[in-house]
Amino acid sequence: YQGSAGPVNFAVAGLVRFLEYDAEGATVSNSNWDDDSAKGWGVTFEAKTKLTDIITVRGSVTHGDGIGGYLYLTPAQQPAYVDNQGNLETIEATGGGVSMSVAAGPGSFNLGYGVVIADLDDAFAQGAVQGSSDERYSSTFVNYIWSPYDQITYGLEAGHHAAEQVNGDEGDAVRLQAMLMFGF
């Protein structure tokens, strides 16, 4: 659903999905392994508003259980895993972000932050994922994007990106980027 309330534009969306696996024909030592299913779901809310003629703020949050790849940039692309008893267990994940754009000259400065977290602790304990599996990503960026001509857009960006694994190991990177886009 999309709508507005005064100067705020917003959107709300939901997802329900049916997940299933079939162990027929598989060689497993546990006779309880059989067909199993689970329900996945997710909800998202996003909003934006102009604070002034030159400043726009945006925010979004998405949460779900068994949402998998429907959550943008999730570290848990798979929506579920099979535990040691042969049960299909969904993976809970949450993500969100905030950003601000400030019009300046022929373009705008943009500052943003986003984070996504997947709860892989139970999957790790069951041996369904490795300790080196990522379970959290976050990014902070600043850029300037401008269009001096109708069909040409330039951009410069600096970003800091971090990841955390199930076993607690962490890493980060700084990325500098430039863009030239020609629209036709």
Side-chain angles (χ1 to χ4, degrees), residues 2-146:
Q2 295 179 341
S4 62
V8 177
N9 295 317
F10 63 90
V12 178
L15 162 76
V16 176
R17 65 192 303 201
F18 180 75
L19 305 167
E20 182 177 40
Y21 83 96
D22 183 355
E24 185 175 330
T27 305
V28 294
S29 60
N30 185 340
S31 62
N32 292 332
W33 286 53
D34 199 358
D35 297 346
D36 197 10
S37 63
K39 290 178 185 64
W41 61 272
V43 293
T44 190
F45 177 78
E46 57 187 49
K48 82 171 186 175
T49 190
K50 287 190 84 147
L51 293 181
T52 69
D53 288 343
I54 64 169
I55 300 174
T56 302
V57 294
R58 296 170 181 82
S60 67
V61 64
T62 302
H63 178 76
D65 196 8
I67 195 170
Y70 285 102
L71 177 58
Y72 182 64
L73 293 178
T74 183
Q77 288 293 319
Q78 71 277 12
Y81 65 95
V82 179
D83 70 9
N84 293 335
Q85 288 74 42
N87 299 313
L88 189 61
E89 298 293 336
T90 55
I91 297 172
E92 188 174 355
T94 303
V98 294
S99 68
M100 178 176 64
S101 298
V102 179
S108 65
F109 283 100
N110 305 285
L111 174 65
Y113 173 77
V115 63
V116 62
I117 303 165
D119 184 359
L120 298 177
D121 294 332
D122 291 341
F124 175 64
Q126 293 282 324
V129 299
Q130 301 300 313
S132 59
S133 297
D134 292 335
E135 70 175 351
R136 177 187 171 103
Y137 296 136
S138 65
S139 294
T140 305
F141 68 88
V142 62
N143 65 35
Y144 184 69
I145 299 174
W146 72 102

